[in-house]
Amino acid sequence: KAGVTQTPRYLIKTRGQQVTLSCSPISGHRSVSWYQQTPGQGLQFLFEYFSETQRNKGNFPGRFSGRQFSNSRSEMNVSTLELGDSALYLCASSLGTDPSTDTQYFGPGTRLTVL
Amino acid sequence: KNEVEQSPQNLTAQEGEFITINCSYSVGISALHWLQQHPGGGIVSLFMLSSGKKKHGRLIATINIQEKHSSLHITASHPRDSAVYICAASTLPGGATNKLIFGTGTLLAVQP
């Protein structure tokens, strides 16, 4: 089975621009979660999508949004980029049926640099 | 105070040593995860447990639900074990959702 893939792997943007990141989950997985990792804040939960619906959301401003398609692929969008948005963005997929037994499988991440 | 606390933050060991990394949490959880992150960013899920103890090769994870504490042990450590180890709690927001709250990670360096 192919693992979780994320595109692009690296991205450089300037302040004020917007960016869209893509995540393709493992086949059969219906849940996709997004995380932000920075040296200062560590790993933080952004949001989770299950069957095209946002099921849970972390404490991030509305500039961060996402969506999920019928094939479970997910995208996240960040508008009006700020320098502090520079981070590694990770997505993880799982079956999504039971968080007490669901293993999350992480993608390699997209490293976003905002100049 | 963070909802998930890890200790130590940094750990240097000699090859062959027994290693313990600790994780305490203050939130209600459905499961506790141990993750491994190598330089370059890739994260691998090592264990997910909601009670008792799990073992995989040289790695052992335990959890004490009453004390809200988990430990990750590495027996006969090897330089290839060098990585950041992160504990994360699947919280109980109500309903079947996935939301992880992460500890700050433990940077492990195993010297030959």
Side-chain angles (χ1 to χ4, degrees), chain B residues 3-105:
Chain B
E3 293 170 299
V4 179
E5 298 269 2
Q6 266 185 258
S7 63
Q9 282 193 300
N10 293 281
L11 185 54
T12 301
Q14 294 298 312
E15 184 173 356
E17 285 186 358
F18 181 84
I19 290 164
T20 296
I21 300 170
N22 295 300
C23 177
S24 297
Y25 54 93
S26 58
V27 293
I29 69 167
S30 57
L32 193 288
H33 303 250
W34 283 101
L35 310 171
Q36 180 192 57
Q37 186 172 32
H38 280 285
I43 291 179
V44 174
S45 179
L46 297 174
F47 294 103
M48 181 173 63
L49 61 166
S50 53
S51 65
K53 175 179 172 178
K54 287 189 176 180
K55 184 175 189 291
H56 181 70
R58 295 180 295 105
L59 302 178
I60 303 166
T62 63
I63 189 167
N64 184 317
I65 298 296
Q66 287 73 32
E67 295 187 4
K68 296 190 171 182
H69 181 269
S70 177
S71 293
L72 176 68
H73 306 286
I74 304 175
T75 61
S77 59
H78 190 276
R80 65 174 174 266
D81 297 325
S82 298
V84 176
Y85 292 83
I86 305 166
C87 73
S90 281
T91 59
L92 286 169
T97 70
N98 278 310
K99 176 180 178 179
L100 293 182
I101 298 178
F102 298 88
T104 52

Side-chain angles (χ1 to χ4, degrees), chain A residues 26-64:
Chain A
I26 290 171
S27 177
H29 286 189
R30 295 165 65 192
S31 169
V32 174
S33 298
W34 287 90
Y35 303 94
Q36 181 197 64
Q37 186 176 34
T38 60
Q41 298 296 319
L43 274 160
Q44 293 182 283
F45 172 80
L46 278 157
F47 28 65
E48 182 211 3
Y49 285 87
F50 178 80
S51 292
E52 302 178 66
T53 301
Q54 188 181 85
R55 193 160 69 168
N56 211 336
K57 189 176 189 303
N59 297 323
F60 278 81
R63 300 185 297 108
F64 291 82

